Structures are given as C-alpha cells and as structure tokens.
Amino acid sequence: MIRYFVIIIVLCLNNCIYAQHIDVRATNFKDADSISASYMGEPLSSLPILSYQLTHHLSSDVEKFRAIYMWVSHNIEFDFQNFIKNKRKRKRLKNDPIALKQWNASFSKEVFQKLLNEKKTVCTGYAYLIKELSNLAGLACEIVNGYSRTGATHFKKITSPNHSWNAVQLDGEWYLCDATWSSGYFDETNEFTLQYNNSYFLAAPEWFAKNHYPEDPKWLLLDTPPTLLNFFKEPLIYKSAYTYHILPIHPTVMDIVVERYQEVKILCKAPLSIHTENITLELISGSKRYEIQPLCIRTSEGLLQIVHTFEKTGHYDAHIKIKGNPVLTYTVRVKRKLT
Amino acid sequence: MKNTTNETTTTIATKKMSLFVYLLFALGIITTSSAQEQKASETIPTQTVTVDNAEEQQVFAVKGTVKNEEGPAPDIAVAIKGTNIGTYTDFDGHYELMEVPKGAILVLSCVGCKTQEVVVSQETIHTMMEMDFMDTVVLSDPSAAQTYVSKPSLWQKIKRLVQ
C-alpha cells in the first residue's frame, strides 16, 4: 500500500518539475558545447552558414546562443595592437567630433577586415559577431556600448564609453553577456591568454552592473538602476566574484576613510557554500604587502561580514580573496583622527 | 459466522482501497503521457515545414549581382536560409545558385555589412549591400588579470626613492 503511494507521489513530483521555469545557466550545454568545438577554426567568410551549422541541431534558444557564444569566445583573439592604436587616437581626438567620426569610419573598416582575415578583433568586433550570428539564427540580440571597470582601467579618468558587450533575448527574456571578457585576459606584460571564462555568459544583472554600465541604462536590466557617477565610485569586483556569487553590499563606495583602531566592516552577499577559512584579505600599502585571515561573521540576514582593524595609519589597497582569487577591492585611508 | 462477515468487510475495504490506488495511479500516467504528447506536438510542425519546402516546390537556378556604394561587391556570402547551401559573389559581384526552391529566402551577408534577405521569386536578383562601417563605433577594453593598484602618494614615492 505505502509503496503505491510513494509511486504516486514520485509521479506527481515529476509533473511539477516539468512545469517549472528553468534557470538558463543551469541548462545542460553538453550538446551545444560539442557542436561549437567541432567547428573550431571555421572561417568567417559565410556567417549565415556558420550560424546554421552551429545552431540547427539545437532546439532551445539558450542552447543555440550557447553554441554561438562558445564559438566566438574560443575562436576570436583580442587584437592588442589595434586596441592601443584606437585608445591613443580616441584620446587625441576626443575634443574634435568630426575628426573622431572620420577616424571611427576608417578604423572600423580596418577592424572588420582584420576580423575576417585574421580572426583578431577588439570588443566591438566580438559584440558584432555575437549579434550577427544570433540574428542569423533568429535570436534577437543587440550590441551594448558603455563603460567598464577592471583592475587595469584608471576609471576615474574615463570620460567616454570604453567597451561593448551584448544583450540577447532568449524565450522572451533579456540577458547580458560579454564575449570579449569571456575569451581571455591580459596580464601585466600585455600578453593575451585565450582562456574561456564562463563568468560573463548570461551573467546576473546585479553582478554585471558592478563592472558594466551601458550608455542606455535600460540595458542594465535592473528595476532600480544606479547612476553612472555611483557606478564609478562602487567597490571593484573581479571575475571570481561572479564565480563565487560574492556581491558587495556595504560600504557602497570603493574609497573609504577610517580612524586608526576603528573596526572596518565589509558586508557582502555570499552563499553558504563559501567557507570562511577560504577568505583572505590582502593589504598593500606602498611597498608593504601582507595577507591575513580576517574575522568573518555570518549575519542573521544570511550576509557575510568581514571585519578588520587597522593599527597603522596610511593608504591601503584591500583585496578580498577566496582561495587566493581576488573578488573585491576597496581602498582604505587610515587616519589618526577623523575630522 | 461473525468471523466470516468481518473477513468479507475487510476484503471489500482493501479492494476499495486498491481500486482507489489504481485510479490515482492511472491518473498519474495520463497526466505524464499528456505532457509528453504536448512536447511532441511542439516539435512536429517545424519538421513538416521543411518537408513542404523540399518536395512540393518548384526550383530555380538563380543568378544574381551584388553591389555596394563603391561598385560590384565581391566575397559576399549568399546562402539559402535554414540550410547550409551557399556560395560567394565573384570579383564582379556575380553569383549563381542551382536548385533554389521558389519562395526560399536568400541571405546575403559579409563581415561588416548589413545582412539582407531576398525572397526568391525570379531567376535574376539584383541586390544593393549597405556597409555597416559608418555607424559602428569601435570601442575596446579587454579583461585584465591584474588587481587594482592605487597610484602611490607623494610620500610613498619619496620613500621609494630613498630605498
């Protein structure tokens, strides 16, 4: 008798699971990824056929988009030469809109040529390719231009947009992604390493808004969008913040000023799977660099509080790390007395 | 006598119970199978559409020319939408495609130009391709592996010089 009831309950549960909305990032991408890998090295000479080959075996929007995203992130290299060239030129022409427009026209032609012939490009090239291949597969996709912040950008000086990424519509919902940042990274020696990073694939808007700010705030996909001014002042997050689901809550600004012996409390959203013994705090002040295990407290609201007391005055770069990977940066000015 | 009546009532009770269980069980099966039917019916229409295209329609040999603002456009990809059949324009902007079904859509594309779709209704097609170059603002900022480094203060700079 009990056995029958168990069977019935299992059957009913099965039905319920079927009906539930599926989290897109949790989709099984085995098929999409293997299709994408099988077209490794394919040329860009026919985008309609490339798009068809990548997507026609896949049934859902999210899988189709995954195959395109993986292909672009694995096959297109970042063009450092053109990146520097463009940056210098744009800086020089920033007060001359006519010359800047002319430069854009001639440079974009060059960028498209290089993308086609060498599969090397800058951010706009990645975003362009994602949009084209998605549109050809019947997916609504837009290029989003805006501001970005990384450990290497001196964002206090940013006056015009410096980055492009994409918004894509899958089963009626809009999502954000950044194929340039997914494809690889630069180290201190300006060497590009092609290494796929999943953090920026259909990233949660809350995280995305910490280092991407679109020219048109509607592409933040947030109900209460922050202002651009606040965006530049916020604590800096890194790709591992996406991976570990760490989101800074308080302080809301990156540069903080405290008094000596005063407790500094940093409040973050952090899942329970993060063990506090894996959290370290790296403090850099001039030539001094040391790493400590800060006091970590779980608050009643399920948040994580990281506490540290500075005993010496000075200016510190404070990096919060998980298993050695940087997730957050604050800068702390420690004063003898707060006036 | 009493015993037997008791036994009969209990057997009736268990029979009733098991009938109820079977009913519920059957209900479960019906709902799951209907869910499966729904899934199946979602996929069928797309299949029938492709069959229609392939079998019932008349085919053409299409010849076309593609131009842009500067004249004939070479290396433009021309593909039949929803297939992997395609070709490229030659140096003079000409292309030829055999066995194109009437009503099929040709997709014309290149890296840096606005994609165009043309419905095949005749054997010769002339298309003007618009370049995307003018309205694309090229921006670039790569992902960096490094963590943020504050600019050294004047005091720190002096200290470094002394060291």
Side-chain angles (χ1 to χ4, degrees), chain B residues 1-2 4 15 25 30 41 49 59 65-66 80 110 114-115 128 130 140 143 150:
Chain B
M1 190 61 186
K2 265 183 184 174
T4 49
K15 264 185 188 168
F25 196 77
I30 289 163
S41 65
V49 167
V59 288
T65 316
V66 185
I80 302 174
C110 83
K114 283 208 172 88
T115 301
M128 186 74 179
E130 205 180 308
S140 44
S143 176
S150 289

Side-chain angles (χ1 to χ4, degrees), chain A residues 70 120 232:
Chain A
M70 288 300 266
K120 268 186 166 184
F232 285 123

Side-chain angles (χ1 to χ4, degrees), chain A residues 211-229:
Chain A
N211 47 16
H212 295 76
Y213 198 96
E215 275 187 297
D216 181 349
K218 80 168 181 184
W219 291 122
L220 281 165
L221 307 183
L222 292 173
D223 294 332
T224 47
T227 63
L228 183 61
L229 201 67

Side-chain angles (χ1 to χ4, degrees), chain A residues 1 4 7-8 15 18 44-49 52 78 83 86 90 104-105 107-109 112 115-116 122-124 128 132 136 145 148 150-153 155-157 161-164 181 184-186 188 236 238 254 285-287 315 317 319 326 331, chain B residues 14 17-18 20-22 24-25 28-29 31-32 35-36 39 70 75-79 81-88 107-113 115 132-134 136-151 156 159-160 163:
Chain A
M1 202 70 148
Y4 285 135
I7 291 168
I8 290 160
N15 284 353
Y18 244 105
L44 292 174
S45 50
S46 182
L47 298 182
I49 288 180
Y52 174 80
F78 193 84
F83 160 61
N86 187 37
R90 289 179 73 88
N104 271 337
F107 184 62
S108 59
K109 200 167 181 175
F112 284 128
L115 173 59
L116 176 64
V122 290
C123 309
T124 310
Y128 166 81
E132 276 304 304
L136 287 165
N145 293 328
S148 74
T150 70
T153 15
F155 36 80
K156 280 165 192 161
K157 282 186 185 168
N162 62 339
H163 192 37
S164 314
W181 286 12
Y185 61 88
F186 276 92
E188 284 87 343
L236 188 65
Y238 301 95
M254 179 168 172
S285 178
S287 53
H315 185 272
D317 286 343
H319 306 301
T331 65
Chain B
T14 47
M17 267 317 247
S18 56
F20 176 68
V21 166
Y22 280 128
L24 272 177
F25 196 77
I29 289 168
T31 48
T32 42
Q36 276 169 354
K39 268 203 90 189
E70 292 163 8
D75 297 325
I76 303 289
V78 184
K81 194 176 182 175
T83 72
N84 57 358
I85 303 162
T87 184
Y88 300 94
V107 186
L108 288 89
S109 145
C110 83
V111 173
C113 55
T115 301
D132 246 350
F133 301 145
M134 277 309 278
T136 309
V137 181
V138 179
L139 305 167
S140 44
D141 207 359
S143 176
Q146 67 215 71
T147 44
Y148 180 79
V149 182
S150 289
K151 283 200 169 158
Q156 281 167 346
K159 255 173 56 184
R160 258 182 222 173
Q163 280 167 353

Side-chain angles (χ1 to χ4, degrees), chain A residues 45-105:
Chain A
S45 50
S46 182
L47 298 182
I49 288 180
L50 178 62
S51 174
Y52 174 80
Q53 283 169 331
L54 289 171
T55 58
H56 83 285
H57 278 303
L58 301 165
S59 54
S60 69
D61 281 5
V62 62
E63 282 180 287
K64 284 180 184 180
F65 185 69
R66 171 71 173 198
I68 291 168
Y69 191 83
M70 288 300 266
W71 192 88
V72 172
S73 304
H74 283 85
N75 285 271
I76 309 297
E77 218 175 302
F78 193 84
D79 184 353
F80 196 74
Q81 266 178 309
N82 267 342
F83 160 61
I84 292 294
K85 196 168 143 189
N86 187 37
K87 204 173 167 181
R88 284 201 190 124
K89 198 82 178 179
R90 289 179 73 88
K91 202 174 169 186
R92 204 179 311 148
L93 298 177
K94 74 174 180 206
N95 295 321
D96 187 350
I98 298 165
L100 188 67
K101 205 176 173 190
Q102 274 173 353
W103 162 252
N104 271 337

Side-chain angles (χ1 to χ4, degrees), chain B residues 29-76:
Chain B
I29 289 168
I30 289 163
T31 48
T32 42
S33 61
S34 70
Q36 276 169 354
E37 269 166 28
Q38 265 180 4
K39 268 203 90 189
S41 65
E42 276 167 19
T43 53
I44 286 166
T46 51
Q47 283 173 350
T48 48
V49 167
T50 49
V51 169
D52 274 354
N53 275 348
E55 283 181 357
E56 289 175 16
Q57 285 170 5
Q58 192 185 340
V59 288
F60 277 130
V62 174
K63 277 184 184 177
T65 316
V66 185
K67 281 182 180 171
N68 59 28
E69 299 97 280
E70 292 163 8
D75 297 325
I76 303 289

